[in-house]
């Protein structure tokens, strides 16, 4: 056994569909300053207001997609972890969640106790955002600093444009696209616009319709929307799709702030009004199916689209533990630079 561990990190999930567990999970998630980037007193007030009604509604949503084995996100991430063990020959393969269990803190402590000194930290997010990639890295730094752990990290960078990721995406989606469809909607997770403005070194963020498509390398490095559009364009190119066959949208808005557009719920109504009957929806910001894909798109999105005049909405599964994705992730992780 060598001493270079691989730590896969995904977002997380409540421990169960009980309201108390959902409330505990939402509190940890929403109180992260990288998720709601307000001063602590305002964030605490806002989150406390959200937690009055949201846990019960979210618990109902989780219950509608919960599997016998547990949370789909955790179950699928465990399957990916198991599949990666056969590919990662350098040491143990562990899984942690940024929120909920298994925690990054407990997992890093366990690795250190085993004598591990080198860890490849793999945030499982294709596109960069402070609320996903940065918060995972900062949490790992905090644990090492506060616990005095002797760990060195290589960090998997965002892989939104990497050929291995895109080829795996094509391989996993191709059977669904080959069944025939009227339109493909690539629905990415949304972000408040202020998250993009905050990281923009150019001052041109969202100043024009094509600002993301003409982003400089410096802007592209931290612009979530630009990276999403690039992923979509490269995927469509690999699939041989014509421009009118596909479009991009952003889902999962929370609160009253302006979020990046176009909104998925708006696009569902527009596509139905345009005569689209057979709609395919992919969610390339997620590598594992979760409440945002299975419930928000697969259930509520399908219901909305049909009510608006469409005939069928087919959710294309995420990469999950597809063999091509497992092989791609191995390559991506092995060339991850040493950052921490």
């Amino acid at each position: 056994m060598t001493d270079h561990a691989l730590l896969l990190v995904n977002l997380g999930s409540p421990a169960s569909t009980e309201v108390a567990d959902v409330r505990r999970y939402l509190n940890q998630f929403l109180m992260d300053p990288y998720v709601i980037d307000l001063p602590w007193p305002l964030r605490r007030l806002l989150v406390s207001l959200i937690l009055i009604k949201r846990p019960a509604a979210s618990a109902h949503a989780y219950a509608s997609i919960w599997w016998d084995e547990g949370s789909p996100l955790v179950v699928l991430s465990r399957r990916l972890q198991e599949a990666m063990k056969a590919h990662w020959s350098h040491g143990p393969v562990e899984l942690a969640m940024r929120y909920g269990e298994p925690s990054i803190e407990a997992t890093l402590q366990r690795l250190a106790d085993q004598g591990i000194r080198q860890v490849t930290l793999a945030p499982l997010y294709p596109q960069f955002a402070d609320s996903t990639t940065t918060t995972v890295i900062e949490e790992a730094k905090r644990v090492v600093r506060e616990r005095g752990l002797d760990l060195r990290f290589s960090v998997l960078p965002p892989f939104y444009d990497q050929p291995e990721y895109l080829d795996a995406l094509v391989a996993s989606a191709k059977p669904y696209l080959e069944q025939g469809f009227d339109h493909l909607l690539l629905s990415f997770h949304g972000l408040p616009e202020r998250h993009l403005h905050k990281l923009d070194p150019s001052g041109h963020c969202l100043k024009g319709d094509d600002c993301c498509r003409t982003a400089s390398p410096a802007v592209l490095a931290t612009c979530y929307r630009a990276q999403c559009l690039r992923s979509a364009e490269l995927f469509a190119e690999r699939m041989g799709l014509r421009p009118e066959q596909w479009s991009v949208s952003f889902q999962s808005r929370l609160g009253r702030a302006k979020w990046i557009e176009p909104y998925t719920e708006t696009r569902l109504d527009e596509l139905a009004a345009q005569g689209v009957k057979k709609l395919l929806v992919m969610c390339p910001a997620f590598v594992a199916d979760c409440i945002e894909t299975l419930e928000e798109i697969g259930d509520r999105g399908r219901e909305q689209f049909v009510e608006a005049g469409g005939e069928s909405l087919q959710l294309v599964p995420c990469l999950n533990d597809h063999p091509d994705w497992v092989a791609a992730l191995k390559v991506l992780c092995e060339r991850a630079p040493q950052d921490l």
Side-chain angles (χ1 to χ4, degrees):
M1 175 70 72
T2 55
D3 61 352
H4 188 156
L6 174 61
L7 177 54
L8 307 174
V9 184
N10 216 324
L11 186 78
S13 177
S16 77
T17 61
E18 295 296 321
V19 174
D21 282 337
V22 175
R23 179 179 289 109
R24 188 177 303 110
Y25 167 77
L26 289 176
N27 183 69
Q28 184 188 10
F29 171 49
L30 297 175
M31 281 303 295
D32 184 342
Y34 289 104
V35 173
I36 297 182
D37 55 340
L38 296 174
W40 190 92
L42 291 176
R43 186 166 71 252
R44 181 68 270 172
L45 176 60
L46 176 61
V47 173
S48 295
L49 292 173
I50 292 172
L51 293 181
I52 294 173
K53 294 183 178 180
R54 182 90 175 191
S58 293
H60 178 77
Y62 276 109
S64 72
I65 54 98
W66 208 258
W67 293 349
D68 291 343
E69 309 100 298
S71 159
L73 173 65
V74 176
V75 172
L76 290 166
S77 297
R78 287 287 189 202
R79 291 178 187 172
L80 177 64
Q81 176 195 8
E82 289 303 311
M84 284 298 295
K85 289 180 179 179
H87 289 258
W88 186 261
S89 60
H90 313 289
V93 178
E94 292 285 352
L95 173 70
M97 298 290 161
R98 177 61 186 89
Y99 314 105
E101 300 294 335
S103 70
I104 293 174
E105 184 161 9
T107 306
L108 289 178
Q109 182 67 64
R110 184 169 65 254
L111 287 172
D113 291 345
Q114 294 171 9
I116 297 294
R117 294 294 174 261
Q118 182 72 35
V119 177
T120 291
L121 183 66
L124 295 175
Y125 308 108
Q127 298 84 22
F128 171 85
D130 270 348
S131 55
T132 52
T133 307
T134 301
T135 189
V136 167
I137 294 171
E138 291 303 315
E139 174 66 2
K141 287 181 178 179
R142 181 196 69 80
V143 171
V144 167
R145 180 177 65 252
E146 294 186 2
R147 289 189 169 237
L149 303 183
D150 182 17
L151 292 175
R152 298 177 301 279
F153 291 93
S154 301
V155 180
L156 173 65
F159 44 88
Y160 66 96
D161 63 347
Q162 295 302 295
E164 295 86 359
Y165 159 69
L166 293 164
D167 289 344
L169 205 58
V170 167
S172 67
K174 193 172 184 179
Y176 296 86
L177 274 70
E178 288 178 339
Q179 294 175 11
F181 61 98
D182 295 332
H183 193 84
L184 170 65
L185 182 63
L186 295 114
S187 178
F188 294 83
H189 199 285
L191 281 181
E193 285 190 352
R194 69 173 181 272
H195 283 211
L196 272 65
H197 289 300
K198 184 173 61 177
L199 296 174
D200 174 35
S202 70
H204 295 105
C205 183
L206 301 174
K207 294 291 178 63
D209 293 340
D210 64 345
C211 68
C212 286
R213 288 188 171 86
T214 60
S216 67
V219 172
L220 186 59
T222 57
C223 182
Y224 174 77
R225 187 173 186 272
Q227 291 186 5
C228 290
L229 294 178
R230 190 64 55 91
S231 293
E233 290 164 356
L234 292 170
F235 171 81
E237 179 182 298
R238 275 171 161 74
M239 284 299 306
L241 300 178
R242 300 185 305 275
E244 67 273 13
Q245 288 183 290
W246 64 278
S247 58
V248 170
S249 63
F250 298 90
Q251 64 183 85
S252 309
R253 281 184 295 163
L254 175 66
R256 298 180 180 179
K258 180 73 179 297
W259 283 48
I260 52 179
E261 295 180 306
Y263 300 140
T264 294
E265 58 265 38
T266 301
R267 285 296 292 148
L268 292 177
D269 287 340
E270 289 174 349
L271 290 167
Q274 292 166 11
V276 171
K277 297 302 181 183
K278 294 183 66 176
L279 179 65
L280 289 181
V281 183
M282 287 178 63
C283 301
F286 306 95
V287 298
D289 279 304
C290 53
I291 191 168
E292 287 87 355
T293 65
L294 300 172
E295 192 273 337
E296 185 178 353
I297 300 298
D299 291 341
R300 282 189 288 133
R302 177 182 293 115
E303 181 179 342
Q304 178 190 341
F305 180 68
V306 172
E307 286 182 355
E311 290 181 0
S312 67
L313 185 156
Q314 170 73 58
L315 174 67
V316 178
C318 292
L319 290 165
N320 297 325
D321 59 344
H322 191 284
D324 287 47
W325 167 229
V326 176
L329 185 58
K330 169 188 180 282
V331 174
L332 293 170
C333 288
E334 285 189 333
R335 66 171 182 240
Q338 187 165 322
D339 282 350
L340 301 183

